[in-house]
Amino acid sequence: MKRILAFDFGASSGRAMLAKFDGKTFDMEEIHRFSNDPVSVNGVLYWDVLRLYHEIKQGILKAVQAGGFDCIGIDTWGVDFGLIDKDGNLLANPIHYRDAYTDGMMEEVYKKIPRNKLYAKTGIQILQLNTIFQLMAYSLKKNDTLKRADKLLLVPDLFNYFLTGEKKAEYTEASTTQLLDPKTKDWNYDLCKLLDIPTDILPPIVPSGSINGYLTNELCEELGCEKVPVISVASHDTASAIVATPNTGKDFIYISCGTWSLFGTECDNAIINEKTSRYNLTNEGGFGNKITLLKNIMGLWLIQQSRKYWVNIGDNVSYGDLEKAALQEKPFACFIDPDDASFVAPGNMPKRVQEYCKRTGQYVPQTKGEIMRCIYESLALKYRLTFDAIQDVTEKSYDAIHMIGGGTKDNFLCQLTANATNTTVYAGPIEATVTGNIAACLVALGEVDGLAQAREIVKATTTPIVYTSNRALDWEDAYQKFKAIIGE
């Protein structure tokens, strides 16, 4: 029986899961959970990666106490990075992608390469948080730090380096930088030189599901563990979640639903043309050298930040309370674009929703239920917009949507998605990201024969909740109003 220690980092928390695989199915147990709290210092928002590395060590200790493990896999969010100097030391904590230091950097990049040409070279959705714009900010604001760097390591690669001493870039995570050539699936060195990004700081790219290295002797002595391999899984959390989509056919639609909603399909090759540029779709790397054609949508961030604001002012509402409040309100009273720039930063999200509605000449929601209803319906309609875009681009029709990840616990959102898209929704697995992480480890160890068999195992151990379209309301009319409000 193989034992996999999988670390899964989200935007607000992380956990260590210990999985046991008997050759046919696997089960997993959470052995360590911890918060992931960004820290603001002198007006800059950082990820506290040294604290998170401490939590990785605690997870390893607990896994040793639980009987040991055969390998480690780590997945995290994309785009953010740490810089390592020539002596192997971390120069500074990674800056959070929601920090304002990238304000104005898109325009700076466009001075050197127009937006349409940038998209044509990379096929990546243009987002201010992308690594390419972060590096432009470093070049203009922190150039001394950039000049001192020997290697740039994205967050999961940084953790792997701490564990093994190996400086490598895993393919799916590297694809989030907007610095990859989607055809060669290697760094786009010409683009880097055009933007004055030093190419020698970019580590070699390794395939998903390959051995990154082995735990250092120092760590093994400190933690009392064996010198096991650390796997470069599909270390971008979206790519890990997609591995765990319980669909064994060739064409399918998924929504990896959490703080972000990643809505897309899986392709053999990148699709970069006028349509994908107009829809601002992204061609990120997937496990097995696949391409994940998708749209990044703001997701449950809007609900999370709204609840956080209300809790901070003393109203201790639960997510369940907010869902119930939304259910009681009148449908289609007002809409927002979940991806509007005003919703990116942390803060008073209810006020921003109200301001958006006022700015666009709509009814301004007043109660918690009205604000939540606005967010829920707007998310579902944004899913519909993306669903239509992907069908247009691929020239295929899809009769179902697989919703995976923690957001599938939200029954109201799942049902609204089925209604808005007029499509059957299969919700589950909830633990998609860590499941995909474990599956990639099993492939790397030779226990599972590639992506297709991994999905067969996931499908055999998953019982999805099925939501069918229930159009008692006029969703088509609401969809047209929504598009008009957001300018589509």
Side-chain angles (χ1 to χ4, degrees):
M1 180 175 287
K2 291 294 180 183
R3 298 163 66 89
I4 312 298
L5 178 57
F7 289 91
D8 174 34
F9 288 86
S12 59
S13 66
R15 65 263 181 84
M17 305 287 282
L18 188 60
K20 302 173 185 178
F21 180 65
D22 63 6
K24 293 182 179 179
T25 61
F26 62 82
D27 58 57
M28 55 188 172
E29 175 190 4
E30 183 181 294
I31 59 170
H32 185 51
R33 177 175 283 271
F34 46 92
S35 65
N36 180 6
D37 302 303
V39 180
S40 181
V41 182
N42 292 329
V44 180
L45 191 64
Y46 296 95
W47 294 108
D48 194 355
V49 293
L50 297 182
R51 176 67 190 179
L52 296 178
Y53 178 54
H54 168 76
E55 299 295 355
I56 289 175
K57 287 184 177 182
Q58 297 309 299
I60 292 173
L61 282 171
K62 291 180 180 179
V64 170
Q65 295 164 6
F69 49 92
D70 296 294
C71 73
I72 292 174
I74 298 175
D75 68 79
T76 80
W77 61 95
V79 307
D80 290 333
F81 58 88
L83 295 172
I84 304 296
D85 69 14
K86 61 181 177 60
D87 296 320
N89 298 314
L90 182 66
L91 287 169
N93 272 343
I95 299 178
H96 196 295
Y97 62 79
R98 293 191 188 276
D99 186 82
Y101 86 122
T102 53
D103 287 356
M105 292 303 107
M106 297 173 79
E107 291 73 22
E108 292 296 329
V109 168
Y110 297 157
K111 290 177 183 177
K112 299 192 175 188
I113 179 170
R115 184 188 189 282
N116 62 332
K117 289 187 177 180
L118 176 62
Y119 183 84
K121 279 183 174 291
T122 64
I124 295 295
Q125 181 179 353
I126 306 292
L127 294 169
Q128 182 175 312
L129 52 82
N130 291 349
T131 313
I132 192 171
F133 302 115
Q134 295 195 39
L135 283 171
M136 179 57 71
Y138 260 85
S139 178
L140 296 178
K141 302 176 183 181
K142 301 174 180 287
N143 200 31
D144 288 344
T145 304
L146 194 59
K147 286 180 178 178
R148 292 166 56 204
D150 177 66
K151 283 292 178 286
L152 178 153
L153 295 175
L154 293 147
V155 172
D157 303 318
L158 182 64
F159 290 142
N160 288 344
Y161 164 67
F162 289 161
L163 293 174
T164 69
E166 299 287 342
K167 301 170 188 173
K168 299 176 182 177
E170 184 274 324
Y171 164 60
T172 69
E173 185 75 8
S175 73
T176 70
T177 63
Q178 203 163 21
L179 292 171
L180 246 60
D181 184 319
K183 295 180 180 177
T184 65
K185 298 178 180 176
D186 195 2
W187 299 113
N188 192 323
Y189 294 105
D190 290 340
L191 176 61
C192 292
K193 291 173 183 175
L194 179 66
L195 298 175
D196 298 321
I197 295 170
T199 57
D200 57 347
I201 69 173
L202 301 174
I205 295 174
V206 298
S208 314
S210 59
I211 294 175
N212 178 283
Y214 292 80
L215 290 179
T216 64
N217 293 331
E218 178 186 5
L219 269 176
C220 291
E221 183 175 351
E222 177 187 351
L223 303 176
C225 59
E226 299 294 325
K227 196 176 179 67
V228 301
V230 176
I231 309 300
S232 288
V233 296
S235 57
H236 184 210
D237 51 11
T238 301
S240 265
I242 295 166
V243 169
T245 305
N247 184 294
T248 53
K250 181 175 176 58
D251 296 316
F252 60 91
I253 289 282
Y254 56 80
I255 309 176
S256 179
C257 189
T259 300
W260 288 88
S261 289
L262 299 311
F263 192 122
T265 189
E266 191 175 70
C267 305
D268 291 326
N269 300 296
I271 303 176
I272 306 172
N273 54 35
E274 183 277 330
K275 283 184 179 180
T276 58
S277 177
R278 174 161 43 89
Y279 292 131
N280 204 15
L281 298 178
T282 200
N283 290 269
E284 291 178 356
F287 188 83
N289 225 24
K290 296 285 189 179
I291 292 291
T292 58
L293 179 71
L294 60 85
K295 181 86 168 181
N296 288 278
I297 302 169
M298 199 72 77
L300 298 181
W301 167 255
L302 299 162
I303 295 173
Q304 293 163 353
Q305 283 293 297
S306 295
R307 177 179 177 268
K308 183 177 182 178
Y309 168 76
W310 285 316
V311 169
N312 285 346
I313 63 172
D315 193 347
N316 194 27
V317 289
S318 68
Y319 289 117
D321 294 333
L322 295 177
E323 182 180 348
K324 289 176 184 176
L327 279 163
Q328 295 170 5
E329 297 298 338
K330 179 182 175 182
F332 308 145
C334 51
F335 304 111
I336 59 170
D337 181 353
D339 296 318
D340 187 78
S342 63
F343 302 129
V344 172
N348 186 343
M349 202 61 69
K351 181 180 179 181
R352 294 179 194 171
V353 170
Q354 292 172 323
E355 289 173 344
Y356 183 99
C357 292
K358 183 177 181 180
R359 187 169 72 245
T360 51
Q362 301 180 80
Y363 170 73
V364 178
Q366 299 299 314
T367 67
K368 294 184 185 68
E370 288 180 335
I371 292 168
M372 284 296 101
R373 186 94 191 194
C374 175
I375 292 172
Y376 270 115
E377 290 177 345
S378 298
L379 275 174
L381 289 166
K382 193 64 181 275
Y383 293 164
R384 164 68 186 278
L385 190 70
T386 309
F387 189 48
D388 288 352
I390 289 176
Q391 291 187 108
D392 184 28
V393 166
T394 61
E395 298 180 347
K396 296 175 182 178
S397 59
Y398 304 88
D399 58 4
I401 295 173
H402 289 273
M403 288 186 73
I404 55 179
T408 60
K409 292 184 286 188
D410 195 319
N411 299 324
F412 188 40
L413 181 60
C414 293
Q415 185 60 62
L416 289 180
T417 302
N419 294 347
T421 60
N422 201 26
T423 306
T424 301
V425 168
Y426 295 94
I430 294 172
E431 301 289 359
T433 304
V434 73
T435 298
N437 179 326
I438 294 163
C441 286
L442 292 170
V443 172
L445 294 177
E447 297 294 317
V448 172
D449 186 20
L451 183 59
Q453 188 182 3
R455 284 189 176 139
E456 289 281 4
I457 293 169
V458 173
K459 186 175 181 180
T461 57
T462 300
T463 303
I465 300 173
V466 182
Y467 297 85
T468 57
S469 176
N470 175 16
R471 288 200 155 192
L473 302 172
D474 191 349
W475 279 91
E476 289 305 317
D477 182 62
Y479 182 46
Q480 297 307 318
K481 289 179 181 177
F482 171 77
K483 289 201 295 183
I485 287 165
I486 70 170
E488 290 287 343

